[in-house]
Amino acid sequence: MSYDVIVRSGRWFDGTGAPSATRHLGIRDGKVAVVSAQPLDEGGCPRVIDASGKWVLPGLIDIHTHYDVEILESPSLSESVRHGVTSVFLGSCSLSTVHASPSDAGDLFARVEAIPRRHVVGALEEAKTWMSARDYVDALEALPLGPNVAAFLGHSDMRAAQMGLNRATRKDVRPSDFELANMEAMLTEALDAGFVGMSTQQLLFDKLDGVTCRSRTLPSTYAKSRERRRLNTILRRRGRALQAGPDLTSPFSLASLILGSTGLGRTKLKTSLLSAADIKSNPYTIRILGPIAAIVKRLRGDLRWQHLPVPFEVYADGIDLVVFEEFGSVAAALHLSDEIERNALLRDEEYRRWFRKDYDKRFGVKVWHRDFFDADIVACPDGSVIGKTFGQVGVERGGVHPVDAFLDLVVEYGTKLRWRTTISGHRPEILDMLARTPGVQLGFSDAGAHLRNMAFYNFGLRFLRRVRDSERAGRPSVTLEQAVHRLTGELADWYDIDAGHLREGDRADLVVIDPAHLDDTLDAYAESAMPAYDNLSRMVNRNDDAVTAVLVGGEYVFGAGVAADVLGVTRTGRFLHAGERTAR
């Protein structure tokens, strides 16, 4: 009996958390035909992958990306595929490209996700043929998709399309009954088309680009309880998920989202909240997130916290960094798109007093730790400051306040000044705690966004390395089987998509990993030009020895740092319809 592909002698993980074992996999017609303890007949098989000493596991699932624009121009999504990700989710943070006009989508995506606006608008003007969610699915399926794709429908996308971006971002405007009914119809139609749910956002430092509505928060932040309840009712009735980002400054926002997940006297609402992060500025909050999810479960609810299981290290060019939007002084500077006008503001002493006052606030909820002694300069025309913190530069310049040292360099060098800091995920023991917390989902890579700010495309590999190293050190937080389950089958089961498992009859989405190369190279960053974005240099990961083979739908698409000829040319991925797993 011949096979299209044989993967032999690998340590096989099925994605359920069951014990791993050395097995031989025979793949035929895009599915796993057999998992055998005995070697398979390789006669007539055109591709045999020797996985001796390697791990064979289901393709990884990335539940939080912003590939909504990139997928239209580069549907291979090779930067994720090269690291073993075979399924990605679009439509996070209330942002999708289903209904909004190209111009409005540019305003929605550009500033908050740090994707150049002209490329958002241009990609949609060229590609958009769809008028509905079902048409959108058909349009995706017509692309030569590299990985599989699942999708949320964005609340801000619906609001902007139905109300107009200006009305959708005004505090004194509520959607009419007609407009709200149309949003309900949009959501229902998307769920009928197989979307996994709806994403919304209440976080107030995500700001719009453009001119007319510049610096207003995302449309979904203006929605009131009545609107959210009516949309959530549809999700409850259909058993689909709500992805939400609470307003960190409002206890009511977080409480309402948590309580909204409960099922007392009503159908539960599957809720995935952003995010479980060990933030430097709030070191104690992280320990209560797991217990909160457990309490919600006892109240017949279903709450999960999204978590990036690696240190959240960010880079910035000059002053352009999304987390700076959380306080007024820098948001005021980022509001100014003209460089000359912005620099004039940054030089102004009254403005600097405002910035210093914001910087010196040590109380309240915040994401950035506001410590320029914890911000390393990595590139600058003035080589004497490279490798130093802004705080050190201030000390060396005669005791200049760290804010002034930072602003002086920004004014002088603009985006040629590049620096980095770690915002969260800095304590390994907390990362280990979250790895074994049932109410936490592993994801939140933000792949496809913040192209110059962060690179977490290989977060799954880095997580597996940490689990493997913990086992070797005799202090395991979870087993390798459990770790694989958390990155694959657990996510697929919760979102009800047909992915994340590697058993007989399952779709052959898999990755072969060489554990000998799960080493420090996983942490290295590199730069890669994006042809579709005028060769914009994107931060990426490059650790090509760790992943020796990636298959999507039984087709070999990547291995050892080299893409197969079919990737981005022939469609290997597909749209993952929510409900398929249950139906199968």
Side-chain angles (χ1 to χ4, degrees):
M1 184 176 294
S2 63
Y3 301 99
D4 301 322
V5 181
I6 289 175
V7 183
R8 69 182 180 204
S9 304
R11 181 180 175 184
W12 162 71
F13 300 78
D14 69 0
T16 69
S20 57
T22 299
R23 291 291 184 268
H24 311 268
L25 277 63
I27 295 167
R28 186 187 306 114
D29 297 329
K31 294 188 176 182
V32 180
V34 63
V35 177
S36 172
Q38 303 302 319
L40 302 175
D41 181 359
E42 298 176 0
C45 181
R47 183 181 294 275
V48 177
I49 299 173
D50 185 3
S52 301
K54 301 179 178 66
W55 302 342
V56 180
L57 47 139
L60 308 181
I61 299 175
D62 191 342
I63 60 172
H64 190 118
T65 83
H66 291 284
Y67 274 134
D68 308 72
V69 178
E70 185 175 338
I71 197 171
L72 303 176
E73 298 191 304
S74 302
S76 68
L77 302 184
S78 59
E79 202 54 50
S80 287
V81 172
R82 75 185 303 135
H83 301 297
V85 174
T86 61
S87 299
V88 302
F89 282 37
L90 308 180
S92 297
C93 299
S94 86
L95 305 176
S96 58
T97 58
V98 179
H99 294 293
S101 69
S103 178
D104 285 352
D107 290 355
L108 290 170
F109 276 88
R111 185 165 163 185
V112 61
E113 302 304 341
I115 305 172
R117 185 181 187 278
R118 67 184 183 279
H119 294 300
V120 179
V121 176
L124 283 167
E125 286 180 340
E126 182 176 345
K128 189 168 184 178
T129 58
W130 54 89
M131 299 296 292
S132 67
R134 194 173 298 279
D135 292 343
Y136 177 72
V137 172
D138 291 341
L140 290 179
E141 291 269 52
L143 296 172
L145 297 175
N148 306 308
V149 176
F152 292 99
L153 182 62
H155 190 180
S156 289
D157 181 14
M158 289 191 291
R159 251 185 159 250
Q162 191 54 227
M163 301 174 65
L165 191 57
N166 182 36
R167 292 183 64 246
T169 54
R170 287 173 49 189
K171 293 181 180 179
D172 60 335
V173 176
R174 302 286 180 272
S176 66
D177 287 338
F178 177 76
E179 289 167 335
L180 186 48
N182 282 345
M183 282 191 271
E184 291 177 303
M186 287 175 171
L187 179 55
T188 299
E189 192 253 349
L191 300 185
D192 288 342
F195 281 52
V196 295
M198 182 186 80
S199 67
T200 191
Q201 183 66 283
Q202 296 180 23
L203 190 65
L204 296 181
F205 66 68
D206 287 345
K207 305 290 177 62
L208 296 179
D209 201 69
V211 177
T212 303
C213 304
R214 186 173 181 83
S215 295
R216 297 182 191 177
T217 56
L218 293 177
S220 63
T221 64
Y222 295 86
K224 298 300 180 184
S225 297
R226 174 173 174 265
E227 177 181 339
R228 293 195 295 268
R229 280 198 304 269
R230 285 179 61 168
L231 295 173
N232 288 348
T233 295
I234 297 172
L235 297 173
R236 291 179 192 277
R237 187 165 60 239
R238 300 291 293 273
R240 301 290 173 84
L242 173 70
Q243 182 208 83
D247 174 11
L248 299 178
T249 65
S250 169
F252 174 77
S253 170
L254 181 58
S256 64
L257 287 167
I258 292 172
L259 293 174
S261 178
T262 60
L264 294 176
R266 58 183 176 179
T267 305
K268 67 184 179 183
L269 176 61
K270 294 171 68 172
T271 303
S272 179
L273 292 185
L274 314 179
S275 67
D278 181 22
I279 301 173
K280 283 184 176 179
S281 59
N282 296 279
Y284 306 109
T285 305
I286 191 66
R287 296 186 181 275
I288 68 172
L289 301 187
I292 287 175
I295 291 171
V296 169
K297 184 177 181 180
R298 286 197 290 271
L299 296 175
R300 301 178 185 175
D302 196 353
L303 174 67
R304 298 291 188 276
W305 300 92
Q306 287 189 20
H307 167 58
L308 177 68
V310 300
F312 201 106
E313 184 179 42
V314 296
Y315 285 68
D317 296 315
I319 201 171
D320 295 305
L321 185 64
V322 68
V323 295
F324 272 4
E325 302 267 20
E326 70 179 336
F327 55 105
S329 55
V330 181
L334 294 174
H335 175 74
L336 302 174
S337 57
D338 180 79
E339 185 178 359
I340 295 176
E341 191 176 0
R342 182 187 289 184
N343 282 343
L345 178 67
L346 299 184
R347 290 188 184 98
D348 182 76
E349 180 55 35
E350 183 177 350
Y351 171 79
R352 292 191 172 206
R353 282 197 296 270
W354 181 15
F355 195 150
R356 290 194 294 266
K357 184 178 179 181
D358 281 338
Y359 175 87
D360 289 332
K361 289 179 180 176
R362 291 293 177 251
F363 300 102
V365 178
K366 51 187 180 292
V367 175
W368 179 46
H369 47 67
R370 303 188 192 185
D371 182 2
F372 275 132
F373 282 92
D374 186 5
D376 301 310
I377 301 168
V378 296
C380 183
D382 179 0
S384 68
V385 301
I386 295 175
K388 299 175 182 177
T389 70
F390 294 109
Q392 288 173 318
V393 171
V395 171
E396 292 176 1
R397 292 185 175 183
V400 172
H401 193 284
V403 165
D404 292 292
F406 170 70
L407 292 178
D408 287 344
L409 290 171
V410 170
V411 169
E412 187 169 0
Y413 299 113
T415 56
K416 294 180 181 179
L417 171 70
R418 189 156 174 78
W419 55 281
R420 69 183 176 197
T421 188
T422 299
I423 293 174
S424 66
H426 54 295
R427 296 185 289 182
E429 67 275 14
I430 300 298
L431 292 176
D432 288 344
M433 178 193 76
L434 294 172
R436 58 179 180 267
T437 300
V440 168
Q441 290 181 335
L442 304 188
F444 201 65
S445 78
D446 257 3
H450 306 288
L451 305 173
R452 296 283 300 151
N453 300 135
M454 58 188 74
F456 304 126
Y457 297 92
N458 68 347
F459 73 91
L461 301 179
R462 293 165 72 180
F463 173 63
L464 291 173
R465 178 191 62 185
R466 195 173 74 246
V467 172
R468 189 273 317 271
D469 289 349
S470 295
E471 279 193 349
R472 286 179 172 177
R475 46 175 178 78
S477 56
V478 295
T479 66
L480 272 172
E481 288 83 358
Q482 290 168 333
V484 170
H485 174 59
R486 303 222 65 193
L487 294 168
T488 59
E490 177 182 300
L491 301 172
D493 292 347
W494 197 80
Y495 289 100
D496 202 8
I497 56 173
D498 190 12
H501 297 95
L502 196 61
R503 305 157 300 190
E504 290 185 0
D506 286 326
R507 181 175 158 89
D509 302 323
L510 63 88
V511 55
V512 180
I513 295 174
D514 185 350
H517 291 284
L518 293 179
D519 52 32
D520 291 345
T521 61
L522 295 175
D523 302 318
Y525 292 134
E527 303 271 340
S528 178
M530 301 181 69
Y533 288 1
D534 296 333
N535 288 322
L536 171 72
S537 184
R538 165 167 58 182
M539 283 181 57
V540 297
N541 303 116
R542 286 290 187 268
N543 45 283
D544 294 328
D545 292 333
V547 174
T548 61
V550 182
L551 275 66
V552 179
E555 189 77 42
Y556 178 89
V557 294
F558 221 107
V562 179
D565 291 340
V566 298
L567 186 63
V569 177
T570 301
R571 182 167 70 91
T572 53
R574 65 187 184 98
F575 187 84
L576 298 173
H577 295 76
E580 280 185 326
R581 184 193 66 86
T582 297
R584 191 169 79 86

